[in-house]
Amino acid sequence: MLEVEGWAELMPELNALSKAGRFAEMRALVTPEMVATLAVVGTPQQCADQLRDRFAPHAREVCCYFPGYTAAPADIAELVDALR
């Protein structure tokens, strides 16, 4: 994904940091532009809207991943409801 978006130069450093367990340093290399391009961020409704806009023409199902924290069950339920 990084290569496709023009960020291939970060791949070796992110890989090395990941293998060393230096996740805080990895986060420091990720820009807001990268997050906006590669992820969905916001309220459950905002995330549902972004998922629909990006992937509805291509997918019937999505898998959500919440790196670094456990999402509240109420937030997940709200996301699922918003996607219906």
Side-chain angles (χ1 to χ4, degrees):
M1 299 271 312
L2 294 175
E3 185 174 359
V4 168
E5 297 298 336
W7 301 310
E9 72 280 357
L10 288 174
M11 290 170 41
E13 187 171 4
L14 288 170
N15 187 314
L17 290 170
S18 174
K19 289 179 179 177
R22 295 164 53 191
F23 302 110
E25 292 172 63
M26 289 177 69
R27 283 190 295 273
L29 296 175
V30 176
T31 67
E33 178 189 6
M34 295 167 127
V35 172
T37 300
L38 301 173
V40 295
V41 178
T43 66
Q45 182 62 57
Q46 291 168 331
C47 289
D49 293 343
Q50 291 173 52
L51 288 167
R52 194 175 294 102
D53 291 346
R54 290 184 191 186
F55 303 113
H58 313 289
R60 294 180 334 134
E61 298 177 0
V62 296
C63 177
C64 297
Y65 172 61
F66 305 96
Y69 70 99
T70 301
D75 290 338
I76 295 172
E78 188 177 341
L79 175 62
V80 169
D81 287 343
L83 284 168
R84 290 187 174 149

